[in-house]
Amino acid sequence: MSATLRTPADLAGAGLIGVAEAAALAPVAERYAVAVSPAMAALIDPADPADPIARQFVPRPAELDRRPEELEDPIGDAAHSPVPGIVHRYPDRALLTLLYVCPVYCRFCFRRERVGPGADAVLPPDRIAAALDYIAGQPAIWEVILTGGDPLALSPRRIADVMARLAAMPHVRIVRFHTRVPVVTPEAVTPELVAALGASGKTTYVGLHCNHPRELTAAAREACGRLLDAGLALVSQTVLLRGVNDDAETLATLMRAFVELRIRPYYLHHGDLAPGTAHLRVPLAEGQALMRALRGRVSGLCQPTYVLDIPGGHGKVPVGPGYIADGAVTDPWGASHAYEG
């Protein structure tokens, strides 16, 4: 497993699935991109049919079961894209997408209809220039969020070029990178990559996507340490997933691990309505119950905000449990207490 596994045959050759299963998965791989990095493949226990790492990266036949409510663009990016590569939904921040490829392909990805190898995998130079010109012409944009695809899959040189352009825009103060790289390909977090993420006059945040404590291997922790020791700020992003982290103990362990690593727990995402992902989505009421259990179990430092991206491009909202109703407040353990105020 020295190379990324990209086909069902690769997965079978690595012993992660059976040969017969590989044949059954061929239609899924034709529809949605497959990539399992060596770091993630090494974590999968093929003897465990419920392995939480495999559930995230190994394709399943259920991905071809599309429900009526599922959408190709579940959070409405297209409706807020004034130029290719830009999504400008909120006044003070914009998404900048330079590529649509990733070192791994998550089976629950809300951009699964767009990401993967192909002719439009990387934004061409003229469109990158147009996207940056758009940001330069919007003085209300305070934060630029590089997403994708995975922006840290770009070369340090290309990242440094974009950061130099952003450094020349005085209204842009914060640059954020959303990435899985430190976890799934930690060896890619080189000194050159770390240096490329900084720019004069800008504060750089790295939003680390990680869903299960086992993903935080020694190599991943060291990669995060290299980013933190360079002065970059790290926040976490986690997707609530059936069979991966939909229990209070797993979430508590993961959030504590983030805090111990100096990574601020930021968002716990409710699963988006991406096609073929129903088998991984957790009902909203269950997610709220898990957040209530987390509140009574771990430090306030370990509490992410449970959020839902409203389908159709209407924005992200917190959907955690309520604690006050009818003149009473419920404590973290479920007991109700009278309160007037």
Side-chain angles (χ1 to χ4, degrees):
M1 293 186 290
S2 60
T4 295
L5 309 175
R6 299 189 180 276
T7 67
D10 289 344
L11 296 171
L16 300 184
I17 61 174
V19 174
E21 190 178 359
L25 289 175
V28 181
E30 290 174 7
R31 182 75 179 82
Y32 300 114
V34 175
V36 185
S37 68
M40 293 298 97
L43 290 179
I44 294 173
D45 178 2
D48 181 3
D51 182 85
I53 309 301
R55 283 183 67 80
Q56 295 184 66
F57 302 116
V58 175
R60 312 179 80 161
E63 293 178 45
L64 296 181
D65 298 334
R66 180 170 179 173
R67 293 192 176 181
E69 67 272 18
E70 293 177 337
L71 306 167
E72 293 186 3
D73 181 14
I75 67 169
D77 280 348
H80 298 278
S81 182
V83 298
I86 294 289
V87 175
H88 193 185
R89 180 178 288 109
Y90 302 100
D92 75 334
R93 55 204 181 275
L95 301 182
L96 173 60
T97 302
L98 301 178
L99 77 170
Y100 292 93
V101 293
C102 301
V104 295
Y105 292 108
C106 304
R107 310 323 302 168
F108 50 87
C109 179
F110 68 95
R111 292 196 178 110
R112 64 194 328 232
E113 297 285 350
R114 182 68 190 273
V115 298
D120 61 348
V122 180
L123 208 64
D126 60 329
R127 290 195 167 185
I128 292 176
L132 289 167
D133 285 344
Y134 176 85
I135 295 170
Q138 298 288 325
I141 295 178
W142 172 80
E143 180 183 24
V144 173
I145 303 166
L146 283 91
T147 182
D150 195 314
L152 296 198
L154 291 167
S155 70
R157 178 188 61 79
R158 297 191 71 177
I159 293 172
D161 287 346
V162 171
M163 291 299 288
R165 282 288 312 271
L166 294 174
M169 303 178 194
H171 58 284
V172 175
R173 307 300 299 169
I174 307 295
V175 182
R176 193 191 330 167
F177 290 84
H178 284 180
T179 183
R180 259 196 177 283
V181 163
V183 165
V184 302
T185 52
E187 68 279 4
V189 184
T190 62
E192 293 76 18
L193 178 64
V194 173
L197 298 177
S200 177
K202 311 303 176 192
T203 299
T204 300
Y205 279 77
V206 175
L208 179 71
H209 182 167
C210 177
N211 298 320
H212 193 275
R214 276 171 46 201
E215 296 174 51
L216 293 171
T217 62
R221 291 166 184 258
E222 290 170 3
C224 292
R226 291 193 287 276
L227 296 165
L228 288 158
D229 291 345
L232 306 178
L234 267 66
V235 298
S236 74
Q237 295 208 100
T238 296
V239 179
L240 182 61
L241 298 166
R242 173 71 71 205
V244 175
N245 54 24
D246 58 334
D247 65 276
E249 189 55 43
T250 298
L251 283 177
T253 300
L254 179 61
M255 297 304 152
R256 283 177 175 145
F258 287 144
V259 172
E260 290 166 8
L261 290 170
R262 295 178 287 162
I263 300 170
R264 178 200 162 201
Y266 183 39
Y267 279 152
L268 176 65
H269 291 273
H270 186 72
D272 294 309
L273 296 176
T277 62
H279 62 290
L280 289 169
R281 280 198 302 276
V282 177
L284 186 58
E286 287 188 29
Q288 291 173 321
L290 283 168
M291 287 302 299
R292 186 184 293 275
L294 197 64
R295 174 64 61 180
R297 183 179 293 249
V298 297
S299 163
L301 294 172
C302 302
Q303 303 289 333
T305 301
Y306 184 34
V307 293
L308 167 69
D309 233 322
I310 303 172
H314 303 292
K316 191 183 287 98
V317 292
V319 289
Y323 292 91
I324 298 178
D326 300 325
V329 59
T330 303
D331 67 29
W333 301 276
S336 183
H337 308 272
Y339 180 78
E340 299 292 340

